[in-house]
Amino acid sequence: MATQPVSDVVINRLPLYLRMLTFLQREGKTITSSQELSERLDFSSAQIRKDLSYFGEFGKQGTGYNIEYLQKQLRQILHVDHDWEVVLVGAGDLGRALVHYQGFAPQGFKLVAIFDNAPQKIGMTVGDLVVQTMTELPRVVRSKNVRIAILAVPEEVAQQVADELIELGIRAILCYASITLSVPSDVKVHYIDPVAGMQSMMYYL
Amino acid sequence: MATQPVSDVVINRLPLYLRMLTFLQREGKTITSSQELSERLDFSSAQIRKDLSYFGEFGKQGTGYNIEYLQKQLRQILHVDHDWEVVLVGAGDLGRALVHYQGFAPQGFKLVAIFDNAPQKIGMTVGDLVVQTMTELPRVVRSKNVRIAILAVPEEVAQQVADELIELGIRAILCYASITLSVPSDVKVHYIDPVAGMQSMMYYL
């Protein structure tokens, strides 16, 4: 645990360090350095050392970081050293692509249910899941004590669905709707907005 | 144009301001303030004023911002005051969901072609597009002088495809593969990584 408040910007970089450590490990490496991470991630090595220093001493000057140890520590810091169950709302193209996405499970995010309110989608099989009606949402979220939801619904209904999820105890929302949600201060939202990403790159073209 | 270098973090917020201005406009508003933007976006009003001040004077103390004017200025700053053509590589679940995604076109991003190298996908219709073989990529990118690509391919081939795109003149890549690409300094990459987003939220749970 950090001994002082750490900014969101720093926290957002930790998963990138974790991901790069996994790549380096796959390449057969067991030790890395802030210099190597810097070259691979395009952040300065000073920034990497500073980010990590909020949470402790993970390497020694001159000997670098033990990859497996640093991975384990980062997983503990981020609370991803155990599995998390996730519900998904929205069984459109995007929702179905997310169920088929191979990236969540290996990182401990288990999609346990998918919901939609369109009658023609209810009962449809998507991967290992069956689309359930929104009226089942409270039962599923409460019985499994789920804290995380993915919102893959149109922006017109995103706030309303978010309100319902938060009411049921959801505290982290991965939001694909192109909207800024109003949420209580104890709820985290991470937005996936390809348009905003595109627009910010255009600045440099 | 900014009179001094502006950090990526600031540039990344400009699309969020633009998006919020559109929402406020839809609500019938014509004037807003850094205070109102602050409440809706959950950034401090001082930060909003500072971000905008890099690019000029857009409002007057006490009278706020003219929404239409500020939108127009932000579009110019971001170079999204005209359309951009975009190629998409990868016609899997994700690629197809992206073709059907309704968010790009209204913001001036026109998907003009989709490519894949799987024989069974070539010729498949996705929305208004027909999946083309990767061997067509050079012809299409060069003839239309496309500068922007979306990468929706597996991470094992992402670097190789990125290299090919860059060789053809692509200068901005929206990357859905869970990988950090090595690219020249004049190429921008924006990553869409739902796992990293999830992991950074878990810190707060």
Side-chain angles (χ1 to χ4, degrees), chain B residues 137-200:
Chain B
L137 186 66
R139 190 185 55 76
V140 174
V141 171
R142 287 192 176 127
S143 71
K144 292 178 179 283
N145 194 23
V146 181
R147 313 285 304 282
I148 312 163
I150 302 177
L151 207 49
V153 300
E155 62 181 72
E156 302 81 54
V157 297
Q159 182 67 56
Q160 179 198 324
V161 175
D163 291 345
E164 190 175 344
L165 289 165
I166 292 163
E167 173 75 25
L168 295 171
I170 294 291
R171 285 296 168 269
I173 298 175
L174 190 71
C175 178
Y176 280 85
S178 188
I179 180 177
T180 300
L181 297 172
S182 296
V183 300
S185 60
D186 63 337
V187 174
K188 288 306 272 188
V189 184
H190 186 97
Y191 296 95
I192 303 278
D193 186 341
V195 168
M198 286 281 213
Q199 288 177 329
S200 62

Short mmCIF file of all heavy atoms in Angstrom, two decimals, chain B residues 137-200:
data_model
loop_
_atom_site.label_atom_id
_atom_site.label_comp_id
_atom_site.label_asym_id
_atom_site.label_seq_id
_atom_site.Cartn_x
_atom_site.Cartn_y
_atom_site.Cartn_z
N LEU B 137 -3.94 -3.86 -49.06
CA LEU B 137 -3.69 -2.74 -48.13
C LEU B 137 -2.84 -1.63 -48.76
O LEU B 137 -3.24 -0.45 -48.71
CB LEU B 137 -3.04 -3.29 -46.85
CG LEU B 137 -2.83 -2.34 -45.68
CD1 LEU B 137 -4.14 -1.86 -45.09
CD2 LEU B 137 -2.01 -3.02 -44.58
N PRO B 138 -1.69 -1.95 -49.37
CA PRO B 138 -0.85 -0.87 -49.92
C PRO B 138 -1.60 -0.02 -50.95
O PRO B 138 -1.53 1.21 -50.91
CB PRO B 138 0.31 -1.62 -50.57
CG PRO B 138 0.38 -2.93 -49.87
CD PRO B 138 -1.04 -3.27 -49.52
N ARG B 139 -2.33 -0.68 -51.84
CA ARG B 139 -3.04 0.05 -52.89
C ARG B 139 -4.05 1.02 -52.27
O ARG B 139 -4.10 2.20 -52.63
CB ARG B 139 -3.75 -0.95 -53.81
CG ARG B 139 -4.34 -0.34 -55.07
CD ARG B 139 -5.15 -1.36 -55.87
NE ARG B 139 -6.20 -2.02 -55.11
CZ ARG B 139 -7.36 -1.45 -54.79
NH1 ARG B 139 -7.64 -0.23 -55.14
NH2 ARG B 139 -8.25 -2.12 -54.08
N VAL B 140 -4.85 0.51 -51.33
CA VAL B 140 -5.92 1.33 -50.74
C VAL B 140 -5.34 2.50 -49.94
O VAL B 140 -5.74 3.65 -50.12
CB VAL B 140 -6.84 0.47 -49.84
CG1 VAL B 140 -7.86 1.33 -49.11
CG2 VAL B 140 -7.53 -0.62 -50.66
N VAL B 141 -4.37 2.20 -49.07
CA VAL B 141 -3.81 3.25 -48.21
C VAL B 141 -3.15 4.33 -49.07
O VAL B 141 -3.35 5.53 -48.83
CB VAL B 141 -2.79 2.66 -47.19
CG1 VAL B 141 -2.05 3.78 -46.46
CG2 VAL B 141 -3.51 1.77 -46.19
N ARG B 142 -2.40 3.90 -50.10
CA ARG B 142 -1.68 4.89 -50.92
C ARG B 142 -2.62 5.67 -51.81
O ARG B 142 -2.48 6.89 -51.94
CB ARG B 142 -0.60 4.19 -51.75
CG ARG B 142 0.57 3.76 -50.87
CD ARG B 142 1.76 3.33 -51.70
NE ARG B 142 2.90 3.01 -50.85
CZ ARG B 142 3.57 1.87 -50.90
NH1 ARG B 142 3.25 0.94 -51.77
NH2 ARG B 142 4.59 1.68 -50.08
N SER B 143 -3.60 4.99 -52.40
CA SER B 143 -4.46 5.70 -53.36
C SER B 143 -5.33 6.73 -52.64
O SER B 143 -5.64 7.78 -53.19
CB SER B 143 -5.33 4.72 -54.15
OG SER B 143 -6.31 4.16 -53.30
N LYS B 144 -5.71 6.43 -51.41
CA LYS B 144 -6.56 7.38 -50.67
C LYS B 144 -5.74 8.26 -49.74
O LYS B 144 -6.29 9.11 -49.04
CB LYS B 144 -7.61 6.62 -49.86
CG LYS B 144 -8.66 5.89 -50.70
CD LYS B 144 -9.61 5.12 -49.80
CE LYS B 144 -10.70 4.40 -50.58
NZ LYS B 144 -11.77 5.30 -51.04
N ASN B 145 -4.44 7.99 -49.68
CA ASN B 145 -3.56 8.75 -48.79
C ASN B 145 -4.07 8.74 -47.35
O ASN B 145 -4.15 9.76 -46.68
CB ASN B 145 -3.40 10.19 -49.30
CG ASN B 145 -2.24 10.90 -48.62
OD1 ASN B 145 -1.33 10.26 -48.11
ND2 ASN B 145 -2.31 12.22 -48.58
N VAL B 146 -4.42 7.54 -46.88
CA VAL B 146 -4.95 7.40 -45.52
C VAL B 146 -3.82 7.52 -44.51
O VAL B 146 -2.72 7.00 -44.73
CB VAL B 146 -5.68 6.04 -45.36
CG1 VAL B 146 -6.27 5.90 -43.96
CG2 VAL B 146 -6.77 5.89 -46.41
N ARG B 147 -4.08 8.22 -43.40
CA ARG B 147 -3.05 8.43 -42.38
C ARG B 147 -3.38 7.71 -41.07
O ARG B 147 -2.56 7.71 -40.15
CB ARG B 147 -2.91 9.94 -42.08
CG ARG B 147 -2.83 10.85 -43.31
CD ARG B 147 -1.48 10.79 -43.97
NE ARG B 147 -0.42 11.09 -43.03
CZ ARG B 147 -0.08 12.32 -42.62
NH1 ARG B 147 -0.71 13.37 -43.11
NH2 ARG B 147 0.90 12.51 -41.76
N ILE B 148 -4.60 7.18 -40.97
CA ILE B 148 -5.08 6.65 -39.69
C ILE B 148 -5.53 5.20 -39.86
O ILE B 148 -6.24 4.88 -40.81
CB ILE B 148 -6.28 7.46 -39.18
CG1 ILE B 148 -5.99 8.96 -39.26
CG2 ILE B 148 -6.66 7.05 -37.77
CD1 ILE B 148 -7.23 9.81 -39.17
N ALA B 149 -5.12 4.35 -38.90
CA ALA B 149 -5.55 2.95 -38.95
C ALA B 149 -6.03 2.50 -37.58
O ALA B 149 -5.56 2.99 -36.54
CB ALA B 149 -4.40 2.07 -39.39
N ILE B 150 -6.97 1.58 -37.61
CA ILE B 150 -7.39 0.89 -36.39
C ILE B 150 -6.86 -0.53 -36.47
O ILE B 150 -7.04 -1.20 -37.49
CB ILE B 150 -8.92 0.87 -36.25
CG1 ILE B 150 -9.48 2.30 -36.24
CG2 ILE B 150 -9.33 0.13 -34.98
CD1 ILE B 150 -11.00 2.37 -36.19
N LEU B 151 -6.20 -0.95 -35.40
CA LEU B 151 -5.58 -2.26 -35.37
C LEU B 151 -6.40 -3.15 -34.45
O LEU B 151 -6.40 -2.97 -33.23
CB LEU B 151 -4.15 -2.09 -34.82
CG LEU B 151 -3.06 -3.06 -35.20
CD1 LEU B 151 -3.01 -3.27 -36.70
CD2 LEU B 151 -1.73 -2.54 -34.70
N ALA B 152 -7.14 -4.09 -35.06
CA ALA B 152 -7.97 -5.01 -34.28
C ALA B 152 -7.56 -6.44 -34.61
O ALA B 152 -8.38 -7.26 -34.99
CB ALA B 152 -9.45 -4.76 -34.60
N VAL B 153 -6.26 -6.68 -34.45
CA VAL B 153 -5.69 -8.00 -34.77
C VAL B 153 -5.13 -8.62 -33.49
O VAL B 153 -4.92 -7.91 -32.50
CB VAL B 153 -4.56 -7.86 -35.82
CG1 VAL B 153 -5.09 -7.25 -37.11
CG2 VAL B 153 -3.39 -7.03 -35.29
N PRO B 154 -4.87 -9.94 -33.49
CA PRO B 154 -4.29 -10.57 -32.30
C PRO B 154 -2.91 -9.98 -32.00
O PRO B 154 -2.21 -9.53 -32.91
CB PRO B 154 -4.16 -12.04 -32.70
CG PRO B 154 -5.13 -12.24 -33.82
CD PRO B 154 -5.17 -10.92 -34.54
N GLU B 155 -2.54 -9.99 -30.72
CA GLU B 155 -1.30 -9.33 -30.32
C GLU B 155 -0.06 -9.95 -30.98
O GLU B 155 0.93 -9.25 -31.21
CB GLU B 155 -1.14 -9.31 -28.79
CG GLU B 155 -1.07 -10.68 -28.14
CD GLU B 155 -0.93 -10.60 -26.62
OE1 GLU B 155 -1.92 -10.24 -25.97
OE2 GLU B 155 0.14 -10.90 -26.10
N GLU B 156 -0.13 -11.23 -31.35
CA GLU B 156 1.03 -11.90 -31.96
C GLU B 156 1.42 -11.26 -33.28
O GLU B 156 2.57 -11.33 -33.69
CB GLU B 156 0.75 -13.39 -32.22
CG GLU B 156 0.37 -14.20 -31.00
CD GLU B 156 -1.10 -14.03 -30.66
OE1 GLU B 156 -1.94 -14.26 -31.53
OE2 GLU B 156 -1.38 -13.65 -29.49
N VAL B 157 0.45 -10.69 -33.99
CA VAL B 157 0.77 -10.12 -35.31
C VAL B 157 0.69 -8.60 -35.32
O VAL B 157 0.94 -7.95 -36.34
CB VAL B 157 -0.17 -10.69 -36.42
CG1 VAL B 157 0.04 -12.20 -36.56
CG2 VAL B 157 -1.63 -10.39 -36.13
N ALA B 158 0.36 -8.00 -34.17
CA ALA B 158 0.11 -6.56 -34.13
C ALA B 158 1.33 -5.74 -34.55
O ALA B 158 1.21 -4.78 -35.33
CB ALA B 158 -0.36 -6.15 -32.73
N GLN B 159 2.52 -6.11 -34.05
CA GLN B 159 3.71 -5.32 -34.39
C GLN B 159 4.00 -5.39 -35.89
O GLN B 159 4.31 -4.36 -36.52
CB GLN B 159 4.92 -5.83 -33.59
CG GLN B 159 6.20 -5.05 -33.84
CD GLN B 159 6.12 -3.61 -33.33
OE1 GLN B 159 5.84 -3.36 -32.17
NE2 GLN B 159 6.33 -2.62 -34.22
N GLN B 160 3.87 -6.58 -36.44
CA GLN B 160 4.15 -6.78 -37.87
C GLN B 160 3.18 -5.96 -38.74
O GLN B 160 3.59 -5.29 -39.68
CB GLN B 160 4.04 -8.27 -38.15
CG GLN B 160 4.28 -8.70 -39.57
CD GLN B 160 3.69 -10.11 -39.80
OE1 GLN B 160 3.74 -10.97 -38.90
NE2 GLN B 160 3.14 -10.34 -40.99
N VAL B 161 1.91 -5.99 -38.39
CA VAL B 161 0.91 -5.22 -39.14
C VAL B 161 1.17 -3.72 -38.97
O VAL B 161 1.11 -2.95 -39.93
CB VAL B 161 -0.53 -5.58 -38.72
CG1 VAL B 161 -1.55 -4.68 -39.42
CG2 VAL B 161 -0.84 -7.04 -39.02
N ALA B 162 1.51 -3.31 -37.74
CA ALA B 162 1.81 -1.90 -37.48
C ALA B 162 2.99 -1.45 -38.34
O ALA B 162 2.95 -0.37 -38.95
CB ALA B 162 2.10 -1.67 -36.00
N ASP B 163 4.03 -2.27 -38.41
CA ASP B 163 5.20 -1.92 -39.23
C ASP B 163 4.79 -1.69 -40.68
O ASP B 163 5.23 -0.74 -41.32
CB ASP B 163 6.25 -3.04 -39.17
CG ASP B 163 6.91 -3.17 -37.80
OD1 ASP B 163 6.77 -2.23 -37.00
OD2 ASP B 163 7.53 -4.21 -37.53
N GLU B 164 3.92 -2.57 -41.17
CA GLU B 164 3.48 -2.46 -42.56
C GLU B 164 2.67 -1.18 -42.77
O GLU B 164 2.86 -0.46 -43.75
CB GLU B 164 2.65 -3.71 -42.91
CG GLU B 164 2.34 -3.80 -44.38
CD GLU B 164 1.61 -5.10 -44.74
OE1 GLU B 164 1.60 -6.05 -43.92
OE2 GLU B 164 1.03 -5.15 -45.84
N LEU B 165 1.78 -0.90 -41.82
CA LEU B 165 0.95 0.32 -41.92
C LEU B 165 1.83 1.57 -41.93
O LEU B 165 1.61 2.50 -42.71
CB LEU B 165 -0.03 0.38 -40.74
CG LEU B 165 -1.17 -0.64 -40.77
CD1 LEU B 165 -1.85 -0.73 -39.40
CD2 LEU B 165 -2.20 -0.27 -41.84
N ILE B 166 2.81 1.60 -41.04
CA ILE B 166 3.67 2.78 -40.92
C ILE B 166 4.49 2.97 -42.20
O ILE B 166 4.64 4.08 -42.69
CB ILE B 166 4.58 2.63 -39.66
CG1 ILE B 166 3.72 2.70 -38.40
CG2 ILE B 166 5.67 3.70 -39.65
CD1 ILE B 166 4.39 2.19 -37.15
N GLU B 167 4.99 1.86 -42.72
CA GLU B 167 5.72 1.86 -43.99
C GLU B 167 4.87 2.49 -45.11
O GLU B 167 5.38 3.17 -46.00
CB GLU B 167 6.07 0.40 -44.34
CG GLU B 167 6.68 0.17 -45.71
CD GLU B 167 8.12 0.62 -45.77
OE1 GLU B 167 8.75 0.64 -44.70
OE2 GLU B 167 8.58 0.97 -46.89
N LEU B 168 3.55 2.29 -45.04
CA LEU B 168 2.64 2.81 -46.07
C LEU B 168 2.24 4.26 -45.83
O LEU B 168 1.52 4.84 -46.63
CB LEU B 168 1.38 1.94 -46.15
CG LEU B 168 1.58 0.50 -46.61
CD1 LEU B 168 0.30 -0.30 -46.43
CD2 LEU B 168 2.04 0.47 -48.07
N GLY B 169 2.67 4.83 -44.69
CA GLY B 169 2.37 6.24 -44.44
C GLY B 169 1.37 6.51 -43.33
O GLY B 169 1.03 7.66 -43.05
N ILE B 170 0.90 5.44 -42.68
CA ILE B 170 -0.02 5.63 -41.55
C ILE B 170 0.74 6.32 -40.41
O ILE B 170 1.86 5.94 -40.09
CB ILE B 170 -0.58 4.26 -41.07
CG1 ILE B 170 -1.48 3.64 -42.16
CG2 ILE B 170 -1.30 4.39 -39.73
CD1 ILE B 170 -2.78 4.35 -42.41
N ARG B 171 0.13 7.34 -39.80
CA ARG B 171 0.80 8.11 -38.76
C ARG B 171 0.04 8.13 -37.43
O ARG B 171 0.50 8.70 -36.44
CB ARG B 171 1.05 9.55 -39.24
CG ARG B 171 2.21 9.65 -40.24
CD ARG B 171 3.53 9.24 -39.60
NE ARG B 171 4.62 9.04 -40.54
CZ ARG B 171 4.92 7.87 -41.13
NH1 ARG B 171 4.21 6.78 -40.88
NH2 ARG B 171 5.95 7.77 -41.94
N ALA B 172 -1.15 7.51 -37.40
CA ALA B 172 -1.90 7.41 -36.15
C ALA B 172 -2.57 6.04 -36.12
O ALA B 172 -3.21 5.64 -37.08
CB ALA B 172 -2.95 8.51 -36.06
N ILE B 173 -2.35 5.33 -35.02
CA ILE B 173 -2.88 3.97 -34.89
C ILE B 173 -3.70 3.86 -33.61
O ILE B 173 -3.20 4.15 -32.52
CB ILE B 173 -1.75 2.92 -34.85
CG1 ILE B 173 -0.94 2.96 -36.16
CG2 ILE B 173 -2.30 1.52 -34.59
CD1 ILE B 173 0.28 2.04 -36.15
N LEU B 174 -4.96 3.47 -33.76
CA LEU B 174 -5.78 3.13 -32.60
C LEU B 174 -5.61 1.63 -32.41
O LEU B 174 -6.07 0.84 -33.24
CB LEU B 174 -7.24 3.49 -32.88
CG LEU B 174 -8.20 3.42 -31.69
CD1 LEU B 174 -7.93 4.56 -30.70
CD2 LEU B 174 -9.65 3.48 -32.16
N CYS B 175 -4.93 1.25 -31.33
CA CYS B 175 -4.49 -0.14 -31.18
C CYS B 175 -5.31 -0.88 -30.13
O CYS B 175 -5.29 -0.52 -28.95
CB CYS B 175 -3.01 -0.17 -30.78
SG CYS B 175 -2.38 -1.83 -30.51
N TYR B 176 -6.02 -1.91 -30.56
CA TYR B 176 -6.81 -2.74 -29.65
C TYR B 176 -6.05 -3.95 -29.16
O TYR B 176 -6.53 -4.67 -28.30
CB TYR B 176 -8.11 -3.19 -30.32
CG TYR B 176 -9.19 -2.13 -30.33
CD1 TYR B 176 -9.22 -1.15 -31.32
CD2 TYR B 176 -10.16 -2.08 -29.34
CE1 TYR B 176 -10.19 -0.17 -31.33
CE2 TYR B 176 -11.15 -1.11 -29.35
CZ TYR B 176 -11.16 -0.16 -30.33
OH TYR B 176 -12.13 0.81 -30.32
N ALA B 177 -4.88 -4.22 -29.74
CA ALA B 177 -4.09 -5.37 -29.29
C ALA B 177 -3.43 -5.02 -27.96
O ALA B 177 -2.98 -3.90 -27.76
CB ALA B 177 -3.03 -5.71 -30.32
N SER B 178 -3.37 -5.99 -27.07
CA SER B 178 -2.83 -5.77 -25.73
C SER B 178 -1.31 -5.87 -25.77
O SER B 178 -0.72 -6.85 -25.35
CB SER B 178 -3.43 -6.81 -24.80
OG SER B 178 -3.08 -6.53 -23.47
N ILE B 179 -0.68 -4.85 -26.32
CA ILE B 179 0.75 -4.86 -26.58
C ILE B 179 1.22 -3.42 -26.64
O ILE B 179 0.41 -2.52 -26.91
CB ILE B 179 1.04 -5.58 -27.93
CG1 ILE B 179 2.52 -5.63 -28.27
CG2 ILE B 179 0.27 -4.93 -29.08
CD1 ILE B 179 2.81 -6.40 -29.56
N THR B 180 2.48 -3.16 -26.31
CA THR B 180 3.05 -1.83 -26.54
C THR B 180 3.85 -1.90 -27.83
O THR B 180 4.83 -2.64 -27.91
CB THR B 180 3.93 -1.38 -25.36
OG1 THR B 180 3.13 -1.34 -24.18
CG2 THR B 180 4.50 0.01 -25.61
N LEU B 181 3.41 -1.17 -28.85
CA LEU B 181 4.06 -1.21 -30.16
C LEU B 181 5.34 -0.38 -30.15
O LEU B 181 5.41 0.66 -29.49
CB LEU B 181 3.13 -0.65 -31.23
CG LEU B 181 1.81 -1.39 -31.49
CD1 LEU B 181 0.92 -0.56 -32.43
CD2 LEU B 181 2.06 -2.77 -32.07
N SER B 182 6.34 -0.84 -30.90
CA SER B 182 7.52 -0.01 -31.18
C SER B 182 7.24 0.76 -32.46
O SER B 182 7.03 0.15 -33.51
CB SER B 182 8.76 -0.89 -31.42
OG SER B 182 9.07 -1.58 -30.26
N VAL B 183 7.23 2.08 -32.36
CA VAL B 183 6.93 2.90 -33.54
C VAL B 183 7.90 4.08 -33.59
O VAL B 183 8.43 4.50 -32.55
CB VAL B 183 5.48 3.43 -33.52
CG1 VAL B 183 4.47 2.29 -33.50
CG2 VAL B 183 5.25 4.37 -32.35
N PRO B 184 8.13 4.65 -34.78
CA PRO B 184 8.96 5.85 -34.88
C PRO B 184 8.31 7.01 -34.13
O PRO B 184 7.11 6.99 -33.86
CB PRO B 184 8.98 6.15 -36.39
CG PRO B 184 8.46 4.93 -37.06
CD PRO B 184 7.59 4.22 -36.08
N SER B 185 9.13 8.03 -33.82
CA SER B 185 8.64 9.12 -32.97
C SER B 185 7.56 9.97 -33.65
O SER B 185 6.83 10.68 -32.98
CB SER B 185 9.81 10.01 -32.54
OG SER B 185 10.43 10.54 -33.69
N ASP B 186 7.46 9.90 -34.98
CA ASP B 186 6.43 10.70 -35.65
C ASP B 186 5.12 9.92 -35.85
O ASP B 186 4.22 10.38 -36.55
CB ASP B 186 6.94 11.21 -37.01
CG ASP B 186 7.26 10.08 -37.97
OD1 ASP B 186 7.52 8.95 -37.49
OD2 ASP B 186 7.25 10.31 -39.19
N VAL B 187 5.01 8.77 -35.20
CA VAL B 187 3.77 7.99 -35.27
C VAL B 187 3.12 7.98 -33.89
O VAL B 187 3.78 7.74 -32.88
CB VAL B 187 4.05 6.54 -35.72
CG1 VAL B 187 2.79 5.69 -35.66
CG2 VAL B 187 4.65 6.54 -37.13
N LYS B 188 1.82 8.29 -33.82
CA LYS B 188 1.10 8.27 -32.55
C LYS B 188 0.32 6.97 -32.45
O LYS B 188 -0.28 6.51 -33.44
CB LYS B 188 0.10 9.43 -32.48
CG LYS B 188 0.73 10.80 -32.30
CD LYS B 188 1.66 10.88 -31.11
CE LYS B 188 0.99 11.25 -29.82
NZ LYS B 188 2.01 11.51 -28.76
N VAL B 189 0.32 6.40 -31.26
CA VAL B 189 -0.50 5.22 -31.00
C VAL B 189 -1.38 5.51 -29.80
O VAL B 189 -0.91 6.05 -28.79
CB VAL B 189 0.37 3.98 -30.69
CG1 VAL B 189 -0.52 2.74 -30.52
CG2 VAL B 189 1.40 3.75 -31.78
N HIS B 190 -2.65 5.22 -29.92
CA HIS B 190 -3.54 5.29 -28.76
C HIS B 190 -4.05 3.88 -28.49
O HIS B 190 -4.58 3.23 -29.39
CB HIS B 190 -4.70 6.26 -29.03
CG HIS B 190 -5.55 6.48 -27.82
ND1 HIS B 190 -5.40 7.55 -26.97
CD2 HIS B 190 -6.55 5.74 -27.29
CE1 HIS B 190 -6.27 7.47 -25.98
NE2 HIS B 190 -6.98 6.37 -26.16
N TYR B 191 -3.84 3.42 -27.26
CA TYR B 191 -4.20 2.04 -26.93
C TYR B 191 -5.59 1.98 -26.30
O TYR B 191 -5.93 2.82 -25.46
CB TYR B 191 -3.20 1.46 -25.93
CG TYR B 191 -1.81 1.36 -26.52
CD1 TYR B 191 -0.88 2.36 -26.32
CD2 TYR B 191 -1.46 0.27 -27.31
CE1 TYR B 191 0.39 2.29 -26.88
CE2 TYR B 191 -0.19 0.20 -27.88
CZ TYR B 191 0.72 1.20 -27.66
OH TYR B 191 1.96 1.13 -28.23
N ILE B 192 -6.35 1.01 -26.75
CA ILE B 192 -7.63 0.70 -26.11
C ILE B 192 -7.42 -0.64 -25.43
O ILE B 192 -7.33 -1.67 -26.09
CB ILE B 192 -8.76 0.59 -27.16
CG1 ILE B 192 -8.88 1.87 -27.97
CG2 ILE B 192 -10.06 0.19 -26.49
CD1 ILE B 192 -9.66 2.98 -27.34
N ASP B 193 -7.27 -0.60 -24.12
CA ASP B 193 -6.96 -1.83 -23.39
C ASP B 193 -7.90 -1.97 -22.21
O ASP B 193 -7.67 -1.42 -21.15
CB ASP B 193 -5.50 -1.79 -22.94
CG ASP B 193 -5.08 -3.10 -22.30
OD1 ASP B 193 -5.96 -3.89 -21.90
OD2 ASP B 193 -3.87 -3.35 -22.21
N PRO B 194 -8.98 -2.74 -22.40
CA PRO B 194 -9.96 -2.86 -21.32
C PRO B 194 -9.38 -3.52 -20.08
O PRO B 194 -9.79 -3.18 -18.96
CB PRO B 194 -11.08 -3.72 -21.93
CG PRO B 194 -10.51 -4.35 -23.14
CD PRO B 194 -9.40 -3.47 -23.62
N VAL B 195 -8.41 -4.42 -20.25
CA VAL B 195 -7.84 -5.09 -19.08
C VAL B 195 -7.07 -4.09 -18.23
O VAL B 195 -7.23 -4.04 -17.00
CB VAL B 195 -6.94 -6.27 -19.49
CG1 VAL B 195 -6.12 -6.77 -18.31
CG2 VAL B 195 -7.78 -7.40 -20.07
N ALA B 196 -6.25 -3.25 -18.87
CA ALA B 196 -5.51 -2.23 -18.11
C ALA B 196 -6.49 -1.30 -17.40
O ALA B 196 -6.27 -0.90 -16.25
CB ALA B 196 -4.60 -1.44 -19.04
N GLY B 197 -7.60 -0.96 -18.07
CA GLY B 197 -8.62 -0.11 -17.46
C GLY B 197 -9.23 -0.76 -16.22
O GLY B 197 -9.38 -0.13 -15.18
N MET B 198 -9.56 -2.04 -16.36
CA MET B 198 -10.10 -2.80 -15.22
C MET B 198 -9.10 -2.82 -14.07
O MET B 198 -9.45 -2.58 -12.92
CB MET B 198 -10.33 -4.26 -15.64
CG MET B 198 -11.51 -4.47 -16.52
SD MET B 198 -13.00 -4.45 -15.51
CE MET B 198 -13.94 -5.63 -16.48
N GLN B 199 -7.85 -3.14 -14.40
CA GLN B 199 -6.83 -3.29 -13.35
C GLN B 199 -6.62 -1.99 -12.59
O GLN B 199 -6.49 -1.99 -11.37
CB GLN B 199 -5.51 -3.77 -13.97
CG GLN B 199 -5.58 -5.22 -14.42
CD GLN B 199 -4.31 -5.69 -15.09
OE1 GLN B 199 -3.60 -4.91 -15.72
NE2 GLN B 199 -4.00 -6.97 -14.97
N SER B 200 -6.63 -0.86 -13.32
CA SER B 200 -6.39 0.39 -12.61
C SER B 200 -7.56 0.73 -11.68
O SER B 200 -7.37 1.34 -10.63
CB SER B 200 -6.09 1.54 -13.59
OG SER B 200 -7.18 1.76 -14.44
#
